Structures are given as structure tokens and as C-alpha cells.
Amino acid sequence: MGRRTILLDGGMGRELQRMGAPFRQPEWSALALIEAPGYVRRAHDAFLDAGADIITSNSYALVPFHIGEERFAAQGGALASLAGRLARQAAGAKAGARVAGSLPPLFGSYRADLFDAARAADLLVPLVQGLAPHVDLWLAETQSAVAEVRAVRAALGADPKPLWLSFTLEDEAADAATHPRLRGGETVAQAIEAALALGAAALLFNCSQPEVMGPALAAARTAAAGTPLPLGVYANAFPPQPKDATANDGLDELRADLTPATYLDWARRWVDAGAAIVGGCCGIGPDHIRALAAALP
């Protein structure tokens, strides 16, 4: 009998860095796409070989925050298309593999306070147009607030592909284990309400430490009770991030304790708590995904 848990890939940026691809701030994972796209294909292949069912396009850093306003205006759509093509080529080599089109936070990760609704469509439309021919589903990831995912839904228009929404959680708050919240301050229940209203095909939590994922799953299960909304988790390997953090605005250290074996322990808890989709975010590599693929139900 095959595995029931849908397995995502891990963190693209840190895998590119580990492989020796061009990698620096502020471009982050976009630099390899621009200068040496063969590394991106190799990273996708590594996650697929490890057992991932879904790989995510390397489009997370294709926003002005990372590549600059001028480069985004001139090349944003073309780079998104390249990211989509590379993922599709890799997925085509593995039967049943799917591609998720990454739609990132537009104005800096973790910073709901910087979100500019008036500019959102101008940044999302080139990404959507570039990725659309190559992806099987949309993944709006590391979203800090409901306003961000509403903008994504509007930019997708009538596109019929499934939309997965993935929110990042406060992981430094003293009460994070009892009152999980999005980094923008909204509750998990508000995230569920928005996901259902927007017709999302799944709701996930990502780019937060493993310790806060269980409480968020529990709150999500309660809020989504009686609905068929699948839930998922892909945590990062960062230490807890303060409220004023901006992900990728510097190179964070990775936790040494999150080995493939210990990450698997966390993943088992998430599956037991109702997660149907599991993977990894920043710092979670192919070896972690291989451990999940071998052991999750």
C-alpha cells in the first residue's frame, strides 16, 4: 500500500547554497536561477530522488525585495517562466510528480506591516503569467496575513488550478504554544475562515519552528471541523525569529538539533495531529525528506 501523506520538497535556497551554487544576499535563491540554472534543476532532482511527491518552483525570491525593482520590471516574468520550466522538466522525469508554483510574500517575508495592497497585483501578475503554463497547483507560501492571500486569489483570477495557502506563524511569542497566531497577528481561526472563503484546496503552515506547528494544527482542525480542507506543515530549521525579523534579510544560522531523525519525529506528530501534507522549509534538505518518505504512513 502506498504512502497516504503527500510529501513536499524542502528548502531550495539552503540546498542551492549547500551544492555550491551562486548564492548571496539579497538575491537568495534567485541568483542561481539567473546565473546557473542547472543548479536549480539539480536541486529539484535531489528532492524528487529523496521521495518528494511535489516540488516547488524556485520563484520565491523573484520579487523586488530580492532582485531589485529594475531587474524585476525587466526580467521578473521571464525568470518566473524559467523557474516553472525547470520544475516541470524535473517533475516530468518522475511518474506522478507535481509542481507547485510558489507565490511568495511580496514585500519581505514575515512583514505583514510592509504589505502594500495597491502594488500587489503589479508584482503577482508577472509571476502568475510566467509560472502558469508549467505548474499543477499554486502555493502562496510564507504568508503573514489574510490580506496577502486575498491579493493572491485576486491575481489568479479565473485560473482553475488548486490554490494552497501556507501561513507563517509567530514562533517567539511566549504564548505561541497555547495561542498560535500568524506573524501579522491574526488567529489560526481567521486563516481558516479566509481559506474557506477563498476556495483554497489546502491550508498549511510553513517557515516557522517545528515547536509551534502542533498547536497551530490543533487550532486549525478545530476551526475547519466539518469541512474537507486538508492541512499541512513544512517547518524551517531556524531558531525562533523575533517580531521585527525579515526572512532572508541576512543568513540565519541553522539548528543543529534538526537532523533527519529528529525532523521525522516532529513530522510523525504532525501526521498524528491531522496533517495530510508534510515537507520542509529553509534548512530542511533532501536527507530530511528521504527520512520522511521512508517512514511516514
Side-chain angles (χ1 to χ4, degrees), residues 11-19 23 28 238 250-254 282-284:
M12 173 61 77
R14 292 308 180 97
E15 180 59 12
L16 289 169
Q17 182 193 33
R18 187 196 67 78
M19 293 166 60
F23 187 86
W28 193 253
F238 292 157
L251 199 58
D252 291 302
E253 293 296 321
L254 299 178
C282 305
I284 303 302

Side-chain angles (χ1 to χ4, degrees), residues 202-267:
L203 182 136
L204 303 89
F205 302 106
N206 81 292
C207 213
S208 303
Q209 63 174 344
E211 287 83 353
V212 302
M213 297 303 193
L217 271 175
R221 283 188 69 184
T222 298
T227 77
L229 186 69
L231 303 175
V233 169
Y234 54 116
N236 65 26
F238 292 157
Q241 299 294 298
K243 278 187 76 70
D244 61 352
T246 300
N248 303 346
D249 190 22
L251 199 58
D252 291 302
E253 293 296 321
L254 299 178
R255 291 170 52 172
D257 63 310
L258 287 180
T259 65
T262 57
Y263 194 75
L264 172 60
D265 289 340
W266 284 111

Side-chain angles (χ1 to χ4, degrees), residues 88 91 96-101 131-138 159-162:
R88 173 51 57 200
R98 290 185 286 166
V99 175
L131 290 167
H134 313 292
V135 307
D136 300 296
L137 61 98
W138 296 107
D159 188 292
K161 299 181 188 71

